Amino acid sequence: MTQGVVTAETGDSLSRVGELMRDRNVGSVVMCEGGRPVGVITDRDLAIAVAADGVSPGDEAGSYASRPLVTGEVEMDIEEAVALMVQHRIRRLPVVDSGDLAGIVTIDDLAVRAGDLTAAHQITAEVARAALPEFYFHQRGG
């Protein structure tokens, strides 16, 4: 788990969230309301909203965050985290302790934690397959 989670308030602008991603070199920001995590916005969410959908960078970021927020608990083990990520088709799992944000686990964290290249590939493939089923099962060139 990474403890230094980059957060923003739901009322912050998409532009501010993009600046946080750039300045902190992260691909996602946990959105909070009153200090409590309520959603996640990714660099992909940001690109689609602003570049593809023409949303104003000044719009509030909270409405573009993934909700409802799926979270893990501080006490859970790596297998439980992987199972949650596969089940919910997510690549980032905020971790809470009594409702307060304690950290975040990403697919990269799980791969590194596995300490075994084969296991790391398997974890990555399982979450990616669950998150992007149409990519893996889509008939191409047809």
Coordinates of all heavy atoms in Angstrom, one line a residue, residues 10-57:
T10 N -14.0 17.3 -4.0 CA -14.9 17.1 -5.1 C -15.2 18.5 -5.8 O -15.5 18.5 -7.0 CB -16.3 16.4 -4.7 OG1 -16.8 17.2 -3.6 CG2 -16.0 15.0 -4.3
G11 N -15.1 19.5 -5.1 CA -15.4 20.9 -5.6 C -14.2 21.4 -6.4 O -14.4 22.5 -7.1
D12 N -13.1 20.8 -6.3 CA -11.9 21.3 -7.1 C -12.2 21.1 -8.6 O -12.9 20.2 -9.0 CB -10.6 20.5 -6.7 CG -10.1 20.9 -5.3 OD1 -10.5 21.9 -4.8 OD2 -9.3 20.1 -4.8
S13 N -11.5 22.0 -9.4 CA -11.7 21.9 -10.8 C -11.0 20.7 -11.5 O -10.0 20.2 -10.9 CB -11.3 23.2 -11.5 OG -9.8 23.3 -11.4
L14 N -11.4 20.4 -12.6 CA -10.7 19.3 -13.4 C -9.3 19.8 -13.7 O -8.3 19.0 -13.6 CB -11.4 19.1 -14.7 CG -12.7 18.3 -14.6 CD1 -13.5 18.4 -15.9 CD2 -12.5 16.9 -14.2
S15 N -9.1 21.1 -13.9 CA -7.8 21.6 -14.2 C -6.9 21.4 -12.9 O -5.7 21.0 -13.1 CB -7.9 23.1 -14.5 OG -6.7 23.7 -14.7
R16 N -7.4 21.7 -11.8 CA -6.6 21.5 -10.5 C -6.2 20.0 -10.4 O -5.1 19.7 -10.0 CB -7.4 22.0 -9.3 CG -6.8 21.7 -8.0 CD -5.6 22.6 -7.8 NE -4.9 22.2 -6.5 CZ -3.7 22.0 -6.4 NH1 -2.8 22.1 -7.4 NH2 -3.2 21.6 -5.2
V17 N -7.1 19.1 -10.6 CA -6.8 17.7 -10.5 C -5.8 17.3 -11.5 O -4.8 16.6 -11.2 CB -8.1 16.9 -10.7 CG1 -7.8 15.4 -10.8 CG2 -9.1 17.1 -9.6
G18 N -5.8 17.9 -12.7 CA -4.8 17.6 -13.7 C -3.4 18.1 -13.3 O -2.4 17.5 -13.5
E19 N -3.4 19.3 -12.7 CA -2.2 19.8 -12.2 C -1.6 18.9 -11.1 O -0.4 18.7 -11.0 CB -2.4 21.2 -11.6 CG -2.7 22.3 -12.6 CD -3.2 23.6 -12.0 OE1 -3.3 23.7 -10.8 OE2 -3.5 24.5 -12.8
L20 N -2.5 18.4 -10.2 CA -2.0 17.5 -9.1 C -1.4 16.3 -9.8 O -0.3 15.8 -9.3 CB -3.1 17.1 -8.2 CG -3.6 18.1 -7.2 CD1 -4.9 17.7 -6.6 CD2 -2.5 18.3 -6.1
M21 N -2.0 15.7 -10.8 CA -1.5 14.5 -11.4 C -0.1 14.8 -12.0 O 0.8 14.0 -11.9 CB -2.4 14.0 -12.5 CG -3.7 13.4 -12.0 SD -4.7 12.8 -13.3 CE -6.2 12.4 -12.4
R22 N 0.0 15.9 -12.7 CA 1.3 16.3 -13.3 C 2.4 16.6 -12.3 O 3.5 16.0 -12.4 CB 1.1 17.6 -14.2 CG 2.4 18.1 -14.9 CD 2.3 19.5 -15.3 NE 2.1 20.4 -14.2 CZ 1.4 21.5 -14.2 NH1 0.8 21.9 -15.4 NH2 1.3 22.3 -13.2
D23 N 2.0 17.4 -11.3 CA 3.0 17.8 -10.3 C 3.5 16.6 -9.4 O 4.6 16.6 -9.0 CB 2.5 18.9 -9.5 CG 2.3 20.2 -10.3 OD1 2.8 20.3 -11.5 OD2 1.6 21.1 -9.8
R24 N 2.6 15.7 -9.1 CA 2.9 14.6 -8.2 C 3.2 13.3 -9.0 O 3.5 12.3 -8.4 CB 1.7 14.3 -7.2 CG 1.3 15.6 -6.4 CD 2.3 15.9 -5.3 NE 2.4 14.8 -4.3 CZ 1.7 14.6 -3.3 NH1 0.7 15.5 -3.0 NH2 1.8 13.6 -2.4
N25 N 3.1 13.4 -10.3 CA 3.5 12.2 -11.2 C 2.6 11.0 -10.8 O 3.2 9.9 -10.6 CB 5.0 11.9 -11.1 CG 5.4 11.0 -12.2 OD1 4.8 11.0 -13.3 ND2 6.4 10.2 -12.0
V26 N 1.3 11.2 -10.8 CA 0.4 10.1 -10.5 C -0.7 10.0 -11.6 O -0.9 11.0 -12.3 CB -0.3 10.2 -9.1 CG1 0.7 10.2 -8.0 CG2 -1.1 11.5 -9.1
G27 N -1.3 8.8 -11.7 CA -2.3 8.6 -12.7 C -3.7 8.7 -12.2 O -4.7 8.5 -12.9
S28 N -3.8 8.9 -10.9 CA -5.2 9.0 -10.3 C -5.1 9.9 -9.0 O -4.1 10.0 -8.4 CB -5.7 7.6 -9.9 OG -5.0 7.0 -8.9
V29 N -6.3 10.4 -8.7 CA -6.5 11.2 -7.5 C -7.7 10.8 -6.8 O -8.8 10.5 -7.4 CB -6.6 12.7 -7.9 CG1 -7.0 13.6 -6.7 CG2 -5.3 13.2 -8.5
V30 N -7.6 10.6 -5.5 CA -8.8 10.2 -4.7 C -9.6 11.4 -4.4 O -9.0 12.4 -3.9 CB -8.4 9.4 -3.4 CG1 -9.7 9.1 -2.6 CG2 -7.7 8.1 -3.8
M31 N -10.9 11.4 -4.7 CA -11.7 12.6 -4.5 C -12.4 12.5 -3.1 O -12.8 11.4 -2.7 CB -12.8 12.7 -5.6 CG -12.3 12.8 -7.0 SD -11.1 14.2 -7.3 CE -12.2 15.6 -6.9
C32 N -12.3 13.6 -2.4 CA -12.8 13.5 -1.0 C -13.9 14.6 -0.8 O -13.9 15.6 -1.5 CB -11.7 13.8 0.0 SG -10.4 12.5 0.0
E33 N -14.8 14.3 0.2 CA -15.8 15.3 0.6 C -15.6 15.4 2.1 O -15.7 14.4 2.8 CB -17.2 14.9 0.3 CG -17.5 15.1 -1.2 CD -19.0 14.6 -1.5 OE1 -19.7 14.1 -0.6 OE2 -19.3 14.8 -2.7
G34 N -15.2 16.6 2.6 CA -14.9 16.7 4.0 C -13.8 15.8 4.5 O -13.9 15.4 5.7
G35 N -12.9 15.5 3.7 CA -11.8 14.7 4.1 C -12.0 13.2 4.0 O -11.1 12.4 4.1
R36 N -13.2 12.8 3.6 CA -13.6 11.4 3.4 C -13.5 11.0 2.0 O -14.1 11.7 1.1 CB -15.0 11.1 4.0 CG -15.1 11.3 5.5 CD -14.7 10.1 6.2 NE -15.2 10.1 7.5 CZ -15.0 9.1 8.4 NH1 -14.3 8.0 8.0 NH2 -15.5 9.1 9.6
P37 N -12.9 9.9 1.6 CA -12.9 9.5 0.2 C -14.3 9.1 -0.3 O -15.0 8.4 0.3 CB -11.9 8.2 0.2 CG -12.0 7.7 1.6 CD -12.3 8.9 2.5
V38 N -14.6 9.6 -1.5 CA -15.9 9.3 -2.1 C -15.8 8.8 -3.6 O -16.8 8.3 -4.1 CB -16.8 10.5 -2.1 CG1 -17.2 10.9 -0.6 CG2 -16.3 11.7 -2.8
G39 N -14.6 9.0 -4.2 CA -14.5 8.6 -5.6 C -13.0 8.6 -6.0 O -12.1 9.1 -5.3
V40 N -12.7 8.2 -7.2 CA -11.4 8.3 -7.8 C -11.5 8.8 -9.2 O -12.5 8.5 -10.0 CB -10.8 6.9 -7.9 CG1 -9.4 6.9 -8.7 CG2 -10.5 6.3 -6.5
I41 N -10.7 9.7 -9.6 CA -10.6 10.2 -10.9 C -9.2 9.9 -11.5 O -8.2 10.1 -10.8 CB -10.9 11.7 -11.0 CG1 -11.1 12.2 -12.5 CG2 -9.9 12.6 -10.3 CD1 -11.8 13.5 -12.6
T42 N -9.2 9.4 -12.7 CA -8.0 8.9 -13.3 C -7.6 9.9 -14.4 O -8.4 10.7 -14.9 CB -8.1 7.5 -13.9 OG1 -9.0 7.5 -15.0 CG2 -8.5 6.5 -12.8
D43 N -6.3 9.7 -14.9 CA -5.9 10.5 -16.0 C -6.7 10.2 -17.2 O -7.0 11.1 -18.0 CB -4.4 10.3 -16.3 CG -3.9 8.9 -16.3 OD1 -4.8 7.9 -16.2 OD2 -2.7 8.6 -16.4
R44 N -7.2 9.0 -17.4 CA -8.1 8.6 -18.5 C -9.4 9.4 -18.4 O -9.9 9.9 -19.4 CB -8.3 7.1 -18.6 CG -9.1 6.7 -19.8 CD -9.2 5.2 -19.8 NE -9.7 4.7 -21.1 CZ -11.0 4.7 -21.3 NH1 -11.9 5.0 -20.4 NH2 -11.5 4.2 -22.5
D45 N -10.0 9.4 -17.2 CA -11.3 10.1 -16.9 C -11.1 11.6 -17.3 O -12.0 12.1 -18.0 CB -11.7 10.0 -15.5 CG -12.0 8.6 -15.0 OD1 -12.4 7.8 -15.7 OD2 -11.7 8.4 -13.7
L46 N -10.0 12.1 -16.9 CA -9.7 13.5 -17.2 C -9.6 13.8 -18.7 O -10.2 14.7 -19.3 CB -8.4 13.9 -16.5 CG -8.1 15.4 -16.4 CD1 -9.2 16.1 -15.6 CD2 -6.8 15.6 -15.7
A47 N -8.8 12.9 -19.4 CA -8.6 13.1 -20.8 C -9.9 13.0 -21.6 O -10.2 13.7 -22.5 CB -7.6 12.1 -21.3
I48 N -10.8 12.0 -21.2 CA -12.0 11.8 -21.9 C -13.0 13.0 -21.7 O -13.6 13.5 -22.6 CB -12.7 10.5 -21.5 CG1 -11.9 9.3 -22.1 CG2 -14.1 10.4 -21.9 CD1 -12.3 7.9 -21.6
A49 N -13.1 13.4 -20.4 CA -14.0 14.5 -20.1 C -13.6 15.8 -20.8 O -14.4 16.4 -21.5 CB -14.0 14.8 -18.6
V50 N -12.3 16.2 -20.8 CA -11.9 17.5 -21.3 C -11.6 17.4 -22.8 O -12.1 18.2 -23.6 CB -10.6 18.0 -20.5 CG1 -10.1 19.3 -21.2 CG2 -11.0 18.2 -19.1
A51 N -10.8 16.4 -23.2 CA -10.4 16.4 -24.6 C -11.4 15.8 -25.5 O -11.7 16.3 -26.6 CB -9.1 15.5 -24.7
A52 N -12.0 14.7 -25.1 CA -13.0 14.0 -26.0 C -14.4 14.6 -25.9 O -15.1 14.7 -26.9 CB -13.0 12.5 -25.8
D53 N -14.8 14.9 -24.7 CA -16.2 15.3 -24.5 C -16.3 16.9 -24.4 O -17.5 17.4 -24.3 CB -16.8 14.7 -23.2 CG -17.0 13.2 -23.3 OD1 -17.0 12.7 -24.4 OD2 -17.1 12.6 -22.2
G54 N -15.2 17.6 -24.5 CA -15.3 19.0 -24.5 C -15.7 19.7 -23.2 O -16.2 20.8 -23.3
V55 N -15.6 19.0 -22.1 CA -16.0 19.6 -20.8 C -15.0 20.7 -20.5 O -13.8 20.6 -20.7 CB -16.0 18.5 -19.7 CG1 -16.2 19.1 -18.3 CG2 -17.0 17.5 -20.0
S56 N -15.5 21.7 -19.8 CA -14.6 22.8 -19.4 C -13.7 22.4 -18.3 O -14.1 21.8 -17.3 CB -15.5 24.0 -18.9 OG -14.6 24.9 -18.2
P57 N -12.4 22.7 -18.4 CA -11.4 22.4 -17.4 C -11.8 23.0 -16.0 O -11.3 22.6 -15.0 CB -10.1 22.9 -17.9 CG -10.3 23.0 -19.3 CD -11.7 23.3 -19.6

